[in-house]
Amino acid sequence: MPVVESAVAKGRRANDSMWRWLLAGAVALFAYGLAASAQAQCGVPTSSCRDCHESRAAGLFVAAERWHADHALGDFCSNCHGGSPTTADEGAHAGLADPLANEGERCRICHANRPRIFDSYLALARPPRAPGSAAGSPVLAYDPRPTARASTHLAGTQPNSGRSRNAICLAAIVVIGLLAAAYIAACERGAGVLQSRLRAVFRRSEWSAYACGALLGVVVTVSMTVFGRRLSGSGAYQELAGPLARGLSPSSTYWTQVIRPSEHWNSVVLAGAVAGSAMAAILGGRFRIRWLPDSQWTDVFGASIARRWSLAGLGAALTAVGGGIAGGCTASLALSGGAALSPGAFAFMAGMFAAGIPTARLLYGKYSR
Amino acid sequence: MSIVAALGIGFCFGWLLEKAGLARYDRVVNVFRFRDFTVLKLLLSALVVGSVGVQASLALGFSRSVPVPATFLAGNFVGGLIFGVGMALSGFCPGTIAAGIGEGRLDYLIAGSLGLVAGAWIFGALYPRLFPLLARGAHTAATISQWCGVDPWLIVVLLAELAGIACYAAERARRVANRGPNRDA
């Protein structure tokens, strides 16, 4: 390759790379739009009920009534209320039903063997009957339309036209920004240098924690906003445990209603994560089959595989139980929940460090490296 | 379509965890020993970017809603305690275990996965007893901004500020102690 290039050739190369960057930006925008439009069609989110009513309205439905408080931490709205929990637009309200009709018929979906639960709800819902009125089945005032209170809270949402105008404006900002960045980079460094630098970055064995964190933030944002899913590790293992648990106890409410047999999103994400990590490890030269951690573990606990594997299994089981109680793991609660500003995410992180620090201190004792 | 999307999201997730070195036992445990703050730095920067991204997406109307995990503070905290013990024992969490498997670690692949499936099964068995207890603590607000009644962007900025302070303190502690994450695998 000639070291000295003519100014014309340099300019042409810069131009080439600029178009490549532009094309990449356009493809990214197109993919985002495709994914966003597919969201409504595939109905990927587990329940649009909680999403709209809780993240957009001011927590109206949680803990307002006793049965709401009792069911608040699950995603069970549709079990009682009907409707279409996989639809994100107004169609979600199609097929709404009175939750307490037919003597708690809908409660039986989960509580078939505990009739006292829905008897108590029915009693709570029964309007005080005027003395002397004819005895009969209680008439429940059930109006699926949003209440006045709900609509004031929802007034903050934007109408469709403003939304698309915002989208066009943001697209322009992104395109102009990419264009400028590509132009400046091409002028300053030259496309060849840029390309070899990029290749070196991908082969580097370790990236800065801040860079990884920021990119992970982007991944979380895409997962949450485009696909309506929290990024999750523990969710995958709950899905994987499903078939086994359903085999052992086929009537369990948890394994049929909470962890639904049709759910596979998190397992697929997990498979993708294994593939992504393997790719990164191979490119960075860190892939190797090994039975024990490379360093530190053997200094403290010795080289016994049995010891490492039993403690790793025990720790893993504890994280699964703890994650179940807390309602998520580091990725699905601390990270995704924190990005959505959920108070629970920060309570979880506080708990994680409050227990992790003394446990590590206990395990390591005097070891101080 | 959704399978491709899930695979793509997972791929980036696993890639980033591996590149940050979170597939290593010592990396994860040493955050609890104040020897290596990689986990903290990664978590905080992802939180800041993620919260900005989520709020921007909502404000611009790209998405109408996001999934918010349920808040029941005592349950979240107690679950976090158990989770923290497990994480300090094993040196991974259910997300970084995928990164460890990708690096070829058999303790993650076999012992860790079996433990996680067993734990998930145990929690499923405890669920009917635990659910009523946890439900008692259900919180009225889904997000901090609703709880405080302030604009979500203020909380995002506050979060970024606190994360910045924490990261600065972590970097400073490493410089002072000078025995940080310089023991590469």
Side-chain angles (χ1 to χ4, degrees):
Chain A
M1 212 174 112
V3 181
V4 186
E5 284 177 311
S6 73
V8 180
K10 217 172 193 172
R12 193 179 299 139
R13 285 172 56 116
N15 224 5
D16 267 9
S17 94
M18 195 179 82
W19 281 113
R20 220 171 291 156
W21 277 98
L22 266 182
L23 197 70
V27 168
L29 261 180
F30 178 72
Y32 186 88
L34 202 71
S37 70
Q39 183 197 3
Q41 293 155 19
C42 315
V44 186
T46 355
S47 146
S48 54
C49 319
R50 286 190 69 113
D51 297 356
C52 288
H53 287 278
E54 280 180 17
S55 62
R56 301 299 276 156
L60 282 176
F61 301 99
V62 181
E65 318 266 17
R66 202 186 114 195
W67 49 87
H68 280 146
D70 285 359
H71 296 90
L73 51 138
D75 208 356
F76 315 118
C77 312
S78 63
N79 287 19
C80 304
H81 290 281
S84 169
T86 51
T87 317
D89 54 25
E90 278 304 308
H93 290 164
L96 279 182
D98 181 344
L100 294 170
N102 300 328
E103 293 296 313
E105 181 190 54
R106 298 199 74 91
C107 308
R108 282 193 188 88
I109 297 173
C110 296
H111 303 297
N113 49 358
R114 304 176 72 188
R116 276 173 55 200
I117 288 182
F118 49 90
D119 281 349
S120 69
Y121 287 156
L122 283 171
L124 278 173
R126 225 161 253 144
R129 208 171 293 140
S133 71
S137 62
V139 181
L140 295 172
Y142 181 70
D143 185 358
R145 283 170 303 174
T147 60
R149 205 155 60 101
S151 28
T152 54
H153 281 294
L154 287 165
T157 57
Q158 292 181 357
N160 260 321
S161 60
R163 209 179 294 157
S164 59
R165 239 174 278 148
N166 280 335
I168 291 166
C169 186
L170 190 83
I173 293 170
V174 169
V175 167
I176 291 170
L178 279 175
L179 198 149
Y183 181 69
I184 293 167
C187 287
E188 292 292 319
R189 299 230 173 244
V193 179
L194 214 68
Q195 216 165 33
S196 64
R197 281 217 154 181
L198 213 62
R199 198 172 299 136
V201 163
F202 272 84
R203 285 179 190 277
R204 195 178 301 155
S205 73
E206 202 148 295
W207 289 3
S208 125
Y210 298 117
C212 285
L215 290 171
L216 194 57
V218 175
V219 174
V220 168
T221 304
V222 171
S223 175
M224 299 265 286
T225 61
V226 181
F227 301 104
R229 296 280 188 170
R230 292 189 275 148
L231 196 60
S232 179
S234 62
Y237 284 95
Q238 285 169 336
E239 286 171 14
L240 291 176
L244 176 85
R246 267 173 229 121
L248 288 171
S249 47
S251 63
S252 155
T253 299
Y254 180 77
W255 293 109
T256 52
Q257 298 296 325
V258 184
I259 308 298
R260 298 196 170 105
S262 56
E263 278 293 313
H264 299 296
W265 173 273
N266 289 321
S267 324
V268 179
V269 170
L270 188 85
V274 171
S277 160
M279 186 83 161
I282 289 166
L283 279 178
R286 294 210 284 197
F287 182 86
R288 189 159 53 81
I289 300 287
R290 48 208 137 174
W291 298 79
L292 284 174
D294 316 294
S295 56
Q296 193 163 310
W297 175 274
T298 36
D299 297 352
V300 184
F301 300 95
S304 154
I305 289 177
R307 188 176 299 159
R308 163 65 184 161
W309 284 37
S310 50
L311 281 179
L314 177 67
L318 284 175
T319 58
V321 173
I325 293 170
C329 61
T330 334
S332 63
L333 185 55
L335 193 51
S336 307
L341 306 180
S342 162
F346 296 94
F348 173 73
M349 275 187 267
M352 195 173 99
F353 281 98
I357 291 165
T359 307
R361 165 151 285 191
L362 214 68
L363 285 175
Y364 275 76
K366 289 201 184 74
Y367 180 83
S368 65
R369 272 182 63 200
Chain B
M1 174 67 207
S2 71
I3 283 190
V4 176
L7 274 177
I9 285 175
F11 189 91
C12 299
F13 184 36
W15 174 285
L16 291 170
L17 288 181
E18 205 283 332
K19 283 291 184 207
L22 292 201
R24 274 163 44 191
Y25 163 81
D26 53 326
R27 263 282 147 84
V28 174
V29 168
N30 283 358
V31 74
F32 293 131
R33 302 176 60 234
F34 306 109
R35 293 290 190 279
D36 183 341
F37 293 101
T38 310
V39 175
L40 196 71
K41 290 190 276 186
L42 179 109
L43 192 63
L44 289 177
S45 42
L47 261 182
V48 170
V49 174
S51 58
V52 169
V54 166
Q55 288 307 324
S57 182
L58 287 175
L60 293 168
F62 283 165
S63 64
R64 286 174 53 136
S65 59
V66 293
V68 185
T71 292
F72 37 108
L73 291 172
N76 297 134
F77 184 76
V78 171
L81 288 177
I82 299 172
F83 193 94
V85 172
M87 212 166 143
L89 268 178
S90 61
F92 51 70
C93 67
T96 59
I97 192 170
I101 294 171
E103 265 193 356
R105 298 178 188 274
L106 294 176
D107 46 346
Y108 285 49
L109 174 67
I110 300 167
S113 296
L114 282 178
L116 279 171
V117 168
W121 179 72
I122 292 170
F123 176 70
L126 295 174
Y127 184 80
R129 281 168 207 282
L130 286 175
F131 187 86
L133 282 178
L134 297 174
R136 289 281 157 249
H139 210 268
T140 44
T143 67
I144 296 176
S145 49
Q146 288 170 6
W147 193 11
C148 308
V150 297
D151 192 281
W153 283 106
L154 294 177
I155 305 291
V156 170
V157 173
L158 190 71
L159 189 65
E161 197 178 77
L162 292 174
I165 294 169
C167 288
Y168 177 77
E171 295 290 350
R172 207 184 135 69
R174 196 184 67 166
R175 253 181 303 162
V176 169
N178 199 24
R179 49 178 179 190
N182 44 14
R183 278 169 284 112
D184 267 5

